[in-house]
Every structure is written in structure tokens, then in C-alpha cells.
Amino acid sequence: MYVEHLSLTGFRSYPQLDTDIGPGTTVFVGPNGVGKTNIVEAVGYLASLSSHRVSTDRPLITFGENRAIIRGRLVRGEQRTTVEVEINAETANRARINRSNPVRARDAAGILKTVLFAPEDLALVKGDPSGRRRYLDDVMVSLLPHQSALRADYERVLKQRNALLKSGRAAGRFSAAHESTLDVWDQHLAEAGARLLSARLVLVGQLRPLVQRAYAELTDGSKSAELAYASSVSDSTTADSGADADDPIAVPGDGTENTLRGMDVPALTQLFVDTLLRHRKKELERGLSLVGPHRDDLGLVLGGAPAKGYASHGETWSMALALRLASYYLLLQEDRTPGGGPVLILDDVFAELDAERRHRLASIVAPAEQVLVTAAVGDDIPDALVGRQIRVVSGGIDAGGTLHA
């Protein structure tokens, strides 16, 4: 799959931008701050309906405007599809597929598949568990777009349950009516959470050998990479704090993950309910849900030690890249139809890597049908990724496309 043409209206720094891209490698080159990342960010948004740089949509809309439009003409084998997403400041986002009548934006999710590498990926290893949870959920939705409903259902129930806990805490006491209502929300949270947890456990099992493979390809192979999922829904973990730093720690081989993976959704639901009951007193004291997939973590281990806090800078980069490459390999593995592979986006990554890692990464991604790269200096791009270059200047591009004022 590749993006043949990209059009932006009111997106970030571009009042209007139109550019042909095409298969193979395209490198957007220009000084920092001219808008290179904005272009590839738009491609990523067209695929996932989210940005890798900001958590809300408002900054994506040109200042002073009320909407932004991203339109891409996609090619998959012999088929061409036009996907348009309208990002609105005041109303719900909308989408059009092949210029049809507007539909919900989420109906366009998954038509384009991308895997994006960016300097922000270091936070997957060094940052809080929330980033690793998002990584898992994003890969899950990329594989099966309808799985976005799992996350949405869980977040909706979690919000309602937290509101109930906060209201009881604010009142200074939890009445019998509160307790009865909480029992109902416990069941709802357990049912939605068990489905999400089950899907994550399956995904971790799929990613594990691919992360091991990718890390070995990126390094000299002296250390092995491992994943371990730690769930707060377990007899062997506790959730006694509202801070991510106190969330459960994943330990490979402790049996917890395998035990949970061996349980079906009804069994996970019952375990979830039981765990909630054990921690009810603490949750009432804090006015916060302390158990569930929103508290879980994906443990990253190198050579038997946690990558966070123990890995060198180079090892941290290799682990972050291995996570992204593993998602790329999994998408290829799950869709072997012609043109089914995702677009690879490397946003200002090569400037952060030493020469050996640059060479290894470039050699791995070069065979992809489309690779989009941003760089401040063209010389940062390894020879394996030689391709078309588009020079980006302030407010537009001066080659390979046309900018309309």
C-alpha cells in the first residue's frame, strides 16, 4: 500500500498543500521548524485518527481556522481509494471515502495502515506505563480496526465508575445505595476490562517473537529482548496507589501472564470482580479505580534486566525501534495480500542514531512498498534508502509538489 497523493487544507502550518508522493522512498528534507513533520503527521493521522505528537486535535488545525482537511489517494494493488478526514474544532470529526457522503471519522480508520518511528518513541522504554499501554492498543486497532470499540467501551465505563467513587469520597461517606450502585459498575468494568485484557494478552504473544527478531537484527545479538505483561487483575499483584510508578511490574517467567492467557473472558471477568472487591476499601479512600487494564504495564526486558533504568542510550533506542518493527512485521504477517503492507514513516529518526543503527534500520525498512522519511540534512539518510527528495521550506515545498497560498 502507498499514498499516491496527499492534500492538506488548514492543517498545522499549511493553509493548502498538494503533493504527489508515490511508492518507494520519499525523503522530506529541510531545516527544523519548516513543517516536515506536519506532512508525515497528517499521513499518520489519516491512518489512525490520532497524532503521535499531541493528545488532542485542536493544535492540528491552523490557528484561526475551525477545521482541517486531510485527503489522501491510496493505492493497494490495482485498487485506488480516496480517504478524506475533516478535523473540526467545534463539532465531531467526519470522513469521506471515495468522495461519498460524510460518515463518522472512525469509519475511515484502518483503510490506510502506517507504522511510524519518531524520537518520541524513546518514551516507550523510558516513560510511564501509559505510553506502553497505548502502543499495545494502537497496534491492536491497526490489526483489527473494530477493536477500537473495546478500548472505547472500557474507557466509558471507567469514567462512570470513577465519577461514582469521587462522589462518594467527596460526600465523606459511601452509603448503602452507593455500594449497591458500585456493585453494578464493578460488573460492567469487569466485563469490558476482561475483553480488553484478553485481546492485549493475545497481542503480546504475537509480538514477543517479533520483538526478539527485530532487536537481534538491530544489534550485535549479545542481549535478548523480552516482553512481559503485568496485570493489576491478578492475585499476585496489588494496586495500592494512584500513581503509575506503583503499578504492577512485569517479570518474565513468573507465570502470571501465562495464567491469565489460559483463562477465557468469563473467567477473567470473575477474577476482575474478585480483585475489585479486595481493593474496594482503597478505591473508596482514593476516589479512583485502581484495578484494570488502565493500570497495567508492558514490561520491556533486555538481557534479563528491565530496559527502563538499566539499558544504555543505544540499547534504549534499539528496543524502541524493535517495538515499532515488530508491529510492522505483524501487520505484514496478518495481511499477505498484494499491497497489504503498511506505509512506514520515519520522522527525524536517523539524526538520533549512530552509523551502525542507521545502516541496520535502513536495510530492514528499504524493501517496504512506501517509506516516508523526514530529515534536516539529507546526508543523514543511509544509502540503502536513497530515493526521491522533496525539499520543504517555510510554508510549503519547492520541489515535487505545489503549494497554494
Side-chain angles (χ1 to χ4, degrees):
M1 175 180 290
Y2 63 91
V3 180
E4 184 178 50
H5 185 87
L6 180 69
S7 174
L8 307 178
T9 302
F11 184 86
R12 290 281 197 182
S13 58
Y14 296 106
Q16 185 68 42
L17 177 74
D18 291 279
T19 184
D20 293 323
I21 305 178
T25 298
T26 299
V27 182
F28 296 95
V29 182
N32 292 331
V34 297
K36 304 182 302 296
T37 292
N38 296 347
I39 297 173
V40 296
E41 179 185 29
V43 176
Y45 191 97
L46 199 61
S48 66
L49 305 182
S50 64
S51 164
H52 69 289
R53 301 161 74 193
V54 293
S55 58
T56 62
D57 286 348
R58 190 62 183 91
L60 306 179
I61 303 173
T62 301
F63 184 75
E65 300 294 330
N66 289 318
R67 69 172 185 169
I69 296 175
I70 307 170
R71 182 183 300 113
R73 187 166 67 242
L74 318 178
V75 179
R76 176 174 176 149
E78 300 299 318
Q79 181 181 2
R80 278 177 168 78
T81 305
T82 298
V83 178
E84 175 184 302
V85 174
E86 180 180 293
I87 306 169
N88 293 299
E90 306 295 338
T91 60
N93 295 343
R94 303 188 302 173
R96 294 177 186 268
I97 302 169
N98 289 329
R99 302 185 186 277
S100 62
N101 291 330
V103 295
R104 297 171 303 178
R106 68 183 185 186
D107 291 338
I111 297 176
L112 171 64
K113 295 185 185 298
T114 62
V115 173
L116 190 146
F117 302 75
E120 291 84 354
D121 289 343
L122 280 181
L124 290 175
V125 183
K126 300 171 67 174
D128 293 334
S130 59
R132 293 182 286 276
R133 291 192 293 264
R134 179 180 175 181
Y135 163 77
L136 286 176
D137 293 344
D138 286 349
V139 175
M140 179 177 68
V141 173
S142 292
L143 284 170
L144 299 168
H146 70 272
Q147 296 280 51
S148 62
L150 289 181
R151 183 165 55 181
D153 288 347
Y154 182 76
E155 290 174 351
R156 175 181 55 80
V157 175
L158 178 64
K159 182 178 180 180
Q160 295 288 338
R161 187 174 186 272
N162 278 339
L164 179 64
L165 289 169
K166 289 176 183 177
S167 68
R169 185 184 186 213
R173 60 183 295 273
F174 222 71
S175 66
H178 271 108
E179 291 271 4
S180 178
T181 305
L182 188 57
D183 288 339
V184 174
W185 282 109
D186 281 4
Q187 187 66 35
H188 288 325
L189 189 72
E191 291 171 355
R195 292 192 294 269
L196 179 57
L197 175 57
S198 179
R200 282 185 184 174
L201 291 169
V202 170
L203 178 60
V204 171
Q206 294 174 301
L207 286 171
R208 179 173 287 112
L210 301 178
V211 169
Q212 293 169 343
R213 166 190 165 188
Y215 191 82
E217 292 172 338
L218 289 164
T219 66
D220 61 8
S222 60
K223 290 185 178 180
S224 61
E226 180 60 87
L227 302 181
Y229 191 87
S231 176
S232 54
V233 184
S234 169
D235 290 329
S236 61
T237 60
T238 61
D240 60 358
S241 169
D244 268 344
D246 290 356
D247 279 351
I249 298 174
V251 180
D254 70 355
T256 301
E257 182 186 325
N258 288 337
T259 298
L260 294 176
R261 185 180 289 113
M263 302 172 72
D264 59 16
V265 171
L268 285 173
T269 300
Q270 186 57 54
L271 178 61
F272 202 147
V273 170
D274 294 342
T275 310
L276 287 170
L277 287 174
R278 289 201 313 274
H279 293 86
R280 176 168 289 192
K281 180 179 178 181
K282 293 172 183 175
E283 291 189 326
L284 294 178
E285 291 172 350
R286 300 177 186 275
L288 185 68
S289 297
L290 300 175
V291 175
H294 66 289
R295 303 284 301 177
D296 295 353
D297 195 6
L298 177 67
L300 310 177
V301 182
L302 290 177
K308 184 177 181 179
Y310 288 87
S312 68
H313 183 69
E315 290 171 337
T316 299
W317 258 114
S318 294
M319 190 67 183
L321 293 171
L323 290 171
R324 294 301 184 194
L325 283 172
S327 65
Y328 169 56
Y329 291 152
L330 184 56
L331 287 168
L332 287 177
Q333 180 178 294
E334 295 298 306
D335 189 346
R336 300 181 183 277
T337 59
V343 174
L344 296 187
I345 301 173
L346 287 79
D347 180 25
D348 203 24
V349 169
F350 289 109
E352 304 286 341
L353 305 178
D354 58 41
E356 181 63 22
R357 286 182 175 83
R358 287 183 190 180
H359 173 73
R360 289 177 182 267
L361 178 61
S363 298
I364 293 169
V365 303
E369 187 169 10
Q370 185 174 59
V371 184
L372 306 180
V373 185
T374 69
V377 180
D379 290 343
D380 286 344
I381 309 303
D383 292 341
L385 278 177
V386 170
R388 177 188 177 203
Q389 288 199 3
I390 296 178
R391 181 156 295 280
V392 182
V393 296
S394 182
I397 53 180
D398 67 2
T402 58
L403 173 74
H404 303 287

